[in-house]
Amino acid sequence: MPLLKSGKLVDDPWTHVADEVAIPVSGPVIVGLKRWREERATLIKRKDPVGVRLQSDHTAGDVADDLEHLGVVALAFPVFKDGRAYTNARRLRERHGYRGEVRAIGNVLRDQYLFMQRCGFDALEVKEGETEQDWQRATGAITVFYQPAADGRETVIRKRHSQTSWGSK
């Protein structure tokens, strides 16, 4: 599946490994939370990076104590209308200070790119045929925001207050 990372199509060096499949000897791997918990000590000792895949019923707190060992946290969107991964992305960035890759996997739609970016996602596994131009159109469509988010963009209220004599920056 193509990977958009920071708005660019890139080769994905990571391999998703199912719980019942042997982990490759080398190369970066993404494992499920259950497997991470069961094989944590062994996975930490790998010379290549490890990532964890969280399903929508998992929380960022499930891996908060292990973030220093994780090169990627992949958050699943089982259906486009399930927004729990947005919350997990924000919590990883804002509450837990995670600076590694936060990846959206599953039912990722172009209409959601901007909101995923604002919540802290920096990589998206997208459908075949998606392009960098699709990303640019989706993330450039809206330039003024009411809500604060993990991307730190100034909100319309902050902009309005900074332009008045009674507001503060």
Side-chain angles (χ1 to χ4, degrees):
M1 185 161 281
L3 182 68
L4 265 170
K5 185 166 172 105
S6 301
K8 302 282 184 204
L9 282 172
V10 298
D11 291 329
D12 186 1
W14 295 84
T15 301
H16 284 274
V17 181
D19 288 345
E20 65 280 355
V21 175
I23 294 177
V25 176
S26 63
V29 295
I30 299 173
V31 299
L33 180 61
K34 178 179 183 259
R35 188 168 203 170
W36 171 254
R37 287 177 172 164
E38 291 171 354
E39 300 177 31
R40 181 182 180 279
T42 304
L43 290 168
I44 287 173
K45 293 177 186 173
R46 282 178 54 91
K47 88 175 163 66
D48 292 317
V50 177
V52 170
R53 183 175 48 253
L54 298 181
Q55 298 304 319
S56 59
D57 59 339
H58 299 141
T59 69
D62 290 333
V63 293
D65 292 338
D66 292 327
L67 292 173
E68 67 188 86
H69 304 292
L70 301 175
V72 63
V73 178
L75 302 174
F77 284 84
V79 294
F80 75 91
K81 61 184 178 179
D82 186 338
R84 292 176 282 184
Y86 290 107
T87 302
N88 280 330
R90 280 197 74 176
R91 287 182 177 159
L92 284 167
R93 297 290 191 210
E94 295 173 356
R95 184 178 294 172
H96 303 297
Y98 184 61
R99 296 291 163 238
E101 180 179 303
V102 177
R103 178 183 292 203
I105 61 173
N107 196 349
V108 175
L109 303 179
R110 185 181 316 155
D111 292 351
Q112 298 171 308
Y113 291 177
L114 175 62
F115 306 108
M116 289 177 178
Q117 178 189 40
R118 296 209 68 222
C119 288
F121 288 97
D122 56 355
L124 315 162
E125 290 181 5
V126 296
K127 296 176 183 73
E128 288 292 333
E130 294 288 314
T131 67
E132 292 174 12
Q133 291 76 22
D134 294 330
W135 167 267
Q136 291 161 358
R137 279 193 297 275
T139 57
I142 300 171
T143 58
V144 179
F145 302 97
Y146 287 99
Q147 306 87 357
D151 66 359
R153 291 188 195 181
E154 191 174 40
T155 65
V156 84
I157 300 299
R158 291 279 292 201
K159 286 181 181 189
R160 186 176 295 147
H161 286 284
S162 68
Q163 293 176 0
T164 64
S165 60
W166 51 270
S168 61
K169 276 192 166 184

